[in-house]
Amino acid sequence: MWDKAVGFGVEIPFVKHLGFELTQFAGGHSEIAYTAKPEHLNSFSVTHGGALMTLLDVSMATAARSEIPDMGVVTIEMKTSFMQPALGPLVAKGELIHRTVTMAFTQSTVFDAAGRKCAHATGTFKFVKRLPTGTKTSNPLNTSSSNIPTD
């Protein structure tokens, strides 16, 4: 299912390393299953907040992309709340709340195996066209005049 969600043959090594499993990707919703590996835990032996934030970010991004899969999204802002330690198998449920031509407003909640809410986030994403980069690390800015559009 990641092929459909990520598209364009793109691989995200960090997502692969974490072992996220996309189980839903349709109609403004996404669901990702994740069980933290020992190297993803913090000093209290619970899922590290950075891993949870990545899970929330990816679930919101895939929810946004589920309605426009041929576009990419980049995170503009994200607000995260941690409610309780996240242990064992987790699932993040992302939702596209509202979208415009260029922006997506989303939310996601991480649940533990007992269905308790562990973390919640809201996020804003910008839709972007995917451009080939080749061996370069970034795309050049293509402008034909001094009038640079901001959208």
Side-chain angles (χ1 to χ4, degrees), residues 39-50:
E39 59 269 26
H40 304 156
L41 304 180
N42 65 18
S43 59
F44 296 103
S45 297
V46 298
T47 307
H48 191 282

Side-chain angles (χ1 to χ4, degrees), residues 13-94:
F14 191 54
V15 168
K16 185 176 181 179
H17 166 75
L18 289 170
F20 292 174
E21 180 187 349
L22 183 66
T23 58
Q24 182 180 359
F25 177 71
H29 295 275
S30 71
E31 192 169 293
I32 300 172
Y34 168 59
T35 301
K37 299 173 188 169
E39 59 269 26
H40 304 156
L41 304 180
N42 65 18
S43 59
F44 296 103
S45 297
V46 298
T47 307
H48 191 282
L52 288 172
M53 288 184 77
T54 301
L55 179 59
L56 290 160
D57 181 56
V58 173
S59 68
M60 290 187 293
T62 53
R65 292 203 55 238
S66 71
E67 288 201 347
I68 311 175
D70 59 331
M71 293 291 283
V73 293
V74 293
T75 309
I76 300 300
E77 65 83 29
M78 180 175 169
K79 191 253 187 226
T80 305
S81 297
F82 300 100
M83 295 175 267
Q84 66 177 336
L87 300 166
L90 304 171
V91 64
K93 296 182 179 186

Side-chain angles (χ1 to χ4, degrees), residues 63-147:
R65 292 203 55 238
S66 71
E67 288 201 347
I68 311 175
D70 59 331
M71 293 291 283
V73 293
V74 293
T75 309
I76 300 300
E77 65 83 29
M78 180 175 169
K79 191 253 187 226
T80 305
S81 297
F82 300 100
M83 295 175 267
Q84 66 177 336
L87 300 166
L90 304 171
V91 64
K93 296 182 179 186
E95 176 186 12
L96 176 62
I97 300 169
H98 178 75
R99 79 173 172 88
T100 67
V101 173
T102 59
M103 304 293 280
F105 301 89
T106 63
Q107 67 179 356
S108 180
T109 303
V110 173
F111 298 89
D112 66 13
R116 292 181 296 249
K117 295 175 182 175
C118 299
H120 181 80
T122 57
T124 306
F125 294 81
K126 181 169 178 68
F127 289 108
V128 294
K129 290 182 182 175
R130 183 134 180 92
L131 301 173
T133 59
T135 58
K136 296 180 182 179
T137 58
S138 64
N139 291 314
L141 181 61
N142 297 318
T143 61
S144 58
S145 69
S146 62
N147 295 329

